[in-house]
Amino acid sequence: MSTRGYQVRVAEDPADLEACFAVRKQVFVVEQGVPQDLEYDAHDATALHVLAVDADGVPLGTGRLLYGETAAEKTGGDPSLGSLGRLAVHARARGLGVGVALVRAIEEAARARGLTAVDLHAQTHALGFYERLGYLPYGPEYEEAGIPHQGMRRAL
């Protein structure tokens, strides 16, 4: 998917994955102070990762989709649900629609895998962003990595 001077694609090779992890490190570890050992987990090896890059190939943002058994712990065990997570947009690319394009690419990948809905754990400051994309909050607010979060879901 190409839009507004950047492209969003599924990360398929080691260089793409390295770019995804670099964006996550900048946003979550450096900017938000999430401990690095919490940011990366065993799910990274089996997740579908998406990557946004500018016209020069510079990474702008990333996100991942967990599905099947790897999503079970985040979705209550329902195999028809995917779990969107680790959505991160580099500061220089915020406001360009990169986050929206990443979410839509993850939803497209979820549909292609036969999933009926996507769950996510939103940082509470981002609730409005996800609500504008059709996600509805559920359950109580909770803390994850020292940051307030809210469960949200969107039917596909």
Side-chain angles (χ1 to χ4, degrees), residues 13-65:
D13 61 41
D16 280 353
L17 287 175
E18 195 173 301
C20 291
F21 298 150
V23 171
R24 284 172 43 188
K25 182 175 184 176
Q26 177 60 37
V27 172
F28 296 125
V29 177
V30 175
E31 290 179 27
Q32 297 183 359
V34 173
Q36 193 161 314
D37 62 321
L38 292 179
E39 174 52 31
Y40 306 100
D41 61 25
H43 298 306
D44 283 326
T46 57
L48 177 136
H49 299 266
V50 294
L51 175 66
V53 296
D54 69 12
D56 295 324
V58 176
L60 302 175
T62 188
R64 76 177 187 186
L65 173 68

Side-chain angles (χ1 to χ4, degrees), residues 1 3 18 50 69-70 94-95 118 123 148 155:
M1 170 190 313
T3 182
E18 195 173 301
V50 294
E69 288 185 30
T70 60
R94 293 181 191 145
V118 173
Q123 292 183 6

